[in-house]
Amino acid sequence: ETGVTQTPRHLVMGMTNKKSLKCEQHLGHNAMYWYKQSAKKPLELMFVYNFKEQTENNSVPSRFSPECPNSSHLFLHLHTLQPEDSALYLCASSQDGTPEETQYFGPGTRLLVL
Amino acid sequence: TQLLEQSPQFLSIQEGENLTVYCNSSSVFSSLQWYRQEPGEGPVLLVTVVTGGEVKKLKRLTFQFGDARKDSSLHITAAQPGDTGLYLCAGATGTYKYIFGTGTRLKVLA
């Protein structure tokens, strides 16, 4: 059972577009994550927020801009993306961000950049 | 660059067969998790192992964490079509420091 929702589920955008991905968790968790899942590469952690503060940015290009207005919502703002950014973007949450915790993943947004 | 190698990459077996998936690294992890991901869904946690040498069982699935906490294995007994999916291991090297494995795609044929 997952209490993490993501919208939209699918997105096609041109390289000059600006779009946003939304993630919402109903689990009362304090930590939220953005991951990128590409066909040929392992799942990559992009950003981490804990108590609305960004704690990790794993060398992600500035064309990806995260926003966490409160501990239940997480956005990923996209602008001037490249075709190689096409991937499944997964949001996850966990109670406090400790390594042994369960991360609950949303179903993902399948992004295609043309 | 830290890397978690999983083997095999792909596995197609008949219902009822046994299988083992391996997750190997040169890095030491404070904990290691196994997830299963089905098409159109996010990964779902199966188990977390923390202590070197730890063995955990979840019905027909047996998970083992290596003594040195650098590797892990997942053994499935009498596989069923419902076990089909992408199996991912993920190692933690600290708070917010997660490395995911390269994945094993399993297909169990009825």
Side-chain angles (χ1 to χ4, degrees):
Chain A
E1 172 183 277
T2 177
V4 181
T5 58
Q6 290 187 244
T7 55
R9 293 294 307 273
H10 301 272
L11 179 61
V12 180
M13 59 187 289
M15 289 189 283
T16 58
N17 292 158
K18 288 185 180 181
K19 297 286 184 183
S20 295
L21 309 185
K22 179 181 176 182
C23 174
E24 187 172 357
Q25 58 99 357
H26 311 277
L27 302 168
H29 290 165
N30 298 310
M32 295 187 76
Y33 313 79
W34 278 117
Y35 285 89
K36 177 183 179 183
Q37 188 172 34
S38 306
K40 304 288 185 185
K41 297 171 71 174
L43 202 64
E44 300 171 76
L45 180 61
M46 300 173 71
F47 301 104
V48 181
Y49 277 81
N50 201 4
F51 291 97
K52 302 185 296 178
E53 299 295 321
Q54 187 178 132
T55 55
E56 289 292 320
N57 175 345
N58 287 335
S59 304
V60 180
S62 59
R63 57 186 183 268
F64 295 91
S65 175
E67 178 191 1
C68 188
N70 55 63
S71 57
S72 298
H73 294 86
L74 186 65
F75 294 90
L76 188 62
H77 303 300
L78 317 171
H79 62 98
T80 58
L81 294 192
Q82 304 299 311
E84 60 264 30
D85 296 322
S86 298
L88 180 68
Y89 288 85
L90 291 161
C91 173
S93 72
S94 69
Q95 187 60 54
D96 295 306
T98 58
E100 298 79 30
E101 286 178 347
T102 300
Q103 288 189 59
Y104 294 86
F105 285 84
T109 295
R110 175 78 55 191
L111 174 67
L112 177 62
V113 181
L114 300 176
Chain B
T1 303
Q2 295 174 311
L3 199 61
L4 262 178
E5 297 275 2
Q6 284 186 239
S7 61
Q9 218 175 335
F10 301 96
L11 192 54
S12 181
I13 61 173
Q14 294 293 324
E15 183 176 4
E17 290 185 19
N18 301 333
L19 67 117
T20 302
V21 176
Y22 299 93
C23 175
N24 294 293
S25 177
S26 57
S27 301
V28 176
F29 299 107
S30 58
S31 63
L32 191 137
Q33 298 178 321
W34 283 92
Y35 291 82
R36 182 171 66 215
Q37 185 177 17
E38 298 185 23
E41 301 295 332
V44 175
L45 181 70
L46 297 173
V47 77
T48 301
V49 285
V50 178
T51 307
E54 183 176 3
V55 177
K56 280 192 172 179
K57 292 194 175 185
L58 183 67
K59 296 184 181 177
R60 294 176 293 100
L61 277 60
T62 302
F63 304 85
Q64 184 161 9
F65 201 11
D67 291 340
R69 290 184 289 128
K70 293 182 179 181
D71 53 82
S72 182
S73 64
L74 157 61
H75 182 78
I76 301 179
T77 304
Q80 298 177 0
D83 296 326
T84 293
L86 176 66
Y87 288 81
L88 299 167
C89 61
T93 57
T95 302
Y96 314 128
K97 305 287 187 187
Y98 301 100
I99 302 167
F100 276 77
T102 48
T104 295
R105 199 167 291 279
L106 171 66
K107 186 167 187 178
V108 182
L109 305 170

